[in-house]
Amino acid sequence: MNAQVLISGGGIGGLALAQGLTRHGFDVRLFERNLTGGNAGYRLHMNADGGNALQALLPPDLYQLYQHTSRADPRREQFLMLDEQLRTLGARPHIGPPNVGALRHTAVHRWTLRQILSAGLSNVIEAATVTGYEERGDRVAVLLEDGSTAEGDLLVAADGVNSPIRRQMLPQIRTMDTGLRAIYGRSPLTDDIAQTLQGQLFDGFVVIFSRLLLDNGVLALGAFQPRMPYQEATARFAPQVELSPIEPYMMLGASVPRVVTDRLGIDLDTAAQSDLRRAMRAQVEGWHPDVVGLVERAPESDMFVTAMRYLEPIPPWPSGRVTLLGDAIHAMPPSLGAGANLALRDAALLAERLAEAPDSGPALVRAVAAYEQQMRDYDYPILRKAITREGAASGFTPLGLIRLARLVGPVNLARKALEDRRASFATSPRPVEESGAQP
Ligand SMILES: Cc1cc2nc3c(=O)[nH]c(=O)nc-3n(C[C@H](O)[C@H](O)[C@H](O)COP(=O)(O)OP(=O)(O)OC[C@H]3O[C@@H](n4cnc5c(N)ncnc54)[C@H](O)[C@@H]3O)c2cc1C
């Protein structure tokens, strides 16, 4: 008999794993505390790590729906760096394996992807908050907030950066707070608006560097215009799926420098949405009118703040009947657009290893050990890259470097280069427990 697998968390990684395991005939129960969705991000940049994993995990109809509701192909699928007047400073390919084929992986709306990943899983997904687990010989039980438990052969923690399973299993992993905060919002992209905007704003993923760069002043932009209207895509590929309608938008992600928020008297950890909008507006003062317009049109009701946190990598641990994937084991700042892609890749890798040892005997733990080794080998180097400035923003052209030096001031740049040898971030990362921030 195939093993019974319990999954804590129905985000991107947990749902994708549930899809793959049910296709392989496993008996799966997934516990999710928030079935109606949160505000955590609009647009997810996709690369071939995540896209190939979706192809392996999803039934063909749902995979086609993902492809056709993804962002329409930009003229350049690149990470583009611009100055505040939209002159090019540099460009580099996105990370991940080659992204090829007629329908390349571009970007998805997060909630749409979650709706696609949930399709057909109504008998698998349960509304419940997980608090911990108990090992019971060859079995494992997940503990739920209402006092009940559920038993299985394997428990997978896919419950994000604050995973209660990880805190119990690997308490030595520290959650680090970089001190950086990013404000996210979205600006409407009707055809009329899109026509007035500079073409380079529609390249793969755009980061604008400001003269306050050294205090972490950057604004990230990512357009989302689906390849096909949602209704047409569901009717054609998966009529059983209902997708919430989404109007095209430009995602805005602003790392507003401390000098700006201090001047405005705003504490980003407690700021109201009206203050988030005020901070974003102040950041782009004097920038190219296209960017100012995008910020002006972004409704404050859509704005939220994200703390840039990550989990410290640790040496290998003994494998057993509890394992982890995605942010629960390698949460990282979103600077490389990699976290969701890696959660999907983990899910595909774990489903593949488990499918090779489908029953509940000792081969199951060997399959988990093989997965964990491969997951660490691939994901930890990307996590390390995401937490260094050099990893997140390499790829300037020589002309771009001259423009950047003019923008920021050559002396400041030289000073910063020296400082960067010593620290990864302008503010040194601190364990969340010591930083006074909410865990
Ligand atoms: C603003 C922003 C932009 C981003 N952009 C990108 C991008 O462009 N590309 C990219 O690849 N990545 C991006 N990321 C990172 C990406 O969102 C995460 O890496 C990804 O969501 C991780 O997936 P996951 O399934 O591991 O965790 P999550 O998506 O966080 O899912 C965890 C799930 O577990 C549930 N849960 C938590 N605790 C419990 C509990 N106790 N009991 C039951 N359920 C629980 C949560 O409700 C949630 O549904 C971005 C992140 C942010 C914040």
Side-chain angles (χ1 to χ4, degrees):
M1 200 178 72
N2 278 359
Q4 290 179 307
V5 182
L6 309 169
I7 302 174
S8 172
I12 306 292
L15 289 169
L17 179 68
Q19 286 284 354
L21 291 183
T22 45
R23 284 185 82 198
H24 284 300
F26 286 85
D27 174 5
V28 183
R29 290 180 73 181
L30 181 151
F31 305 93
E32 167 58 45
R33 67 175 178 193
N34 180 5
L35 290 177
T36 52
N39 211 2
Y42 300 115
R43 175 194 185 274
L44 290 175
H45 162 74
M46 293 294 296
N47 62 32
D49 275 331
N52 295 346
L54 285 171
Q55 186 165 22
L57 293 164
L58 287 175
D61 59 342
L62 295 184
Y63 180 66
Q64 282 188 313
L65 187 58
Y66 146 75
Q67 285 183 306
H68 288 88
T69 52
S70 287
R71 176 195 182 179
D73 291 87
R75 63 176 187 184
R76 286 206 298 177
E77 183 57 75
Q78 284 216 308
F79 179 91
L80 185 70
M81 291 165 262
L82 304 176
D83 72 11
E84 56 196 9
Q85 297 308 323
L86 305 187
R87 289 169 301 206
T88 302
L89 299 171
R92 64 166 165 76
H94 297 299
I95 61 162
N99 187 359
V100 289
L103 294 173
R104 286 178 303 156
H105 307 292
T106 49
V108 290
H109 184 71
R110 179 192 290 264
W111 188 246
T112 306
L113 180 62
R114 272 185 74 163
Q115 287 183 312
I116 294 172
L117 289 171
S118 304
L121 295 182
S122 55
N123 294 333
V124 168
I125 301 171
E126 299 174 38
T129 298
V130 171
T131 55
Y133 68 92
E134 254 173 38
E135 290 185 77
R136 298 180 178 170
D138 283 349
R139 303 274 284 169
V140 58
V142 68
L143 312 180
L144 304 175
E145 198 178 48
D146 65 4
S148 63
T149 61
E151 235 185 61
D153 300 302
L154 177 69
L155 168 62
V156 183
D159 41 15
V161 62
N162 294 316
S163 167
I165 307 287
R166 183 198 68 248
R167 287 182 196 279
Q168 180 179 340
M169 177 179 162
L170 300 169
Q172 69 274 34
I173 295 186
R174 294 194 303 173
T175 308
M176 303 301 287
D177 184 352
T178 63
L180 301 178
R181 303 288 178 265
I183 305 172
Y184 281 87
R186 60 175 154 178
S187 190
L189 262 192
T190 60
D191 287 347
D192 284 354
I193 293 174
Q195 272 169 17
T196 65
L197 299 174
Q198 299 274 316
Q200 64 270 43
L201 293 174
F202 293 88
D203 283 338
F205 193 77
V206 177
V207 174
I208 303 180
F209 291 81
S210 80
R211 63 171 61 89
L212 292 165
L213 162 69
L214 303 183
D215 301 296
N216 299 300
V218 297
L219 177 73
L221 294 103
F224 182 75
Q225 297 157 301
R227 283 193 172 113
M228 198 180 264
Y230 280 13
Q231 269 192 335
E232 193 182 326
T234 46
R236 217 163 124 190
F237 300 107
Q240 76 282 16
V241 180
E242 207 174 309
L243 298 179
S244 315
I246 297 296
E247 295 301 323
Y249 61 87
M250 182 72 85
M251 183 210 73
L252 307 171
S255 172
V256 182
R258 193 68 191 262
V259 284
V260 173
T261 50
D262 283 353
R263 176 162 53 80
L264 298 171
I266 294 173
D267 174 358
L268 287 181
D269 283 331
T270 53
Q273 283 177 312
S274 53
D275 284 336
L276 300 183
R277 186 142 189 274
R278 211 155 54 88
M280 218 194 247
R281 273 177 160 164
Q283 185 191 20
V284 301
E285 250 169 45
W287 289 23
H288 192 284
D290 284 6
V291 182
V292 175
L294 283 166
V295 171
E296 285 300 323
R297 289 186 294 271
E300 71 182 39
S301 55
D302 281 343
M303 293 195 173
F304 65 96
V305 174
T306 298
M308 303 284 177
R309 291 182 179 161
Y310 63 93
L311 297 177
E312 274 189 337
I314 56 160
W317 55 89
S319 299
R321 289 182 179 273
V322 184
T323 190
L324 314 98
L325 65 74
D327 277 13
I329 183 63
H330 48 66
M332 61 187 74
S335 40
L336 293 177
N341 285 283
L342 293 180
L344 290 167
R345 187 181 185 277
D346 292 352
L349 193 59
L350 180 56
E352 197 181 310
R353 291 291 80 82
L354 292 177
E356 290 162 4
D359 63 28
S360 55
L364 180 83
V365 177
R366 285 199 295 276
V368 168
Y371 154 73
E372 288 176 345
Q373 189 60 48
Q374 288 175 293
M375 180 268 290
R376 280 187 300 259
D377 287 351
Y378 194 84
D379 297 346
Y380 272 178
I382 296 176
L383 164 57
R384 291 197 176 95
K385 203 169 177 184
I387 60 179
T388 58
R389 190 190 300 275
E390 156 268 332
S394 56
F396 288 99
T397 61
L399 181 60
L401 276 175
I402 294 169
R403 285 200 174 125
L404 188 73
R406 280 210 196 113
L407 183 72
V408 178
V411 176
N412 288 335
L413 261 192
R415 174 177 60 79
K416 198 65 202 163
L418 276 175
E419 276 175 23
D420 279 355
R421 290 204 180 156
R422 282 181 244 130
S424 312
F425 284 94
T427 43
S428 305
R430 286 203 289 161
V432 166
E433 297 74 22
E434 290 167 24
S435 71
Q438 289 290 312

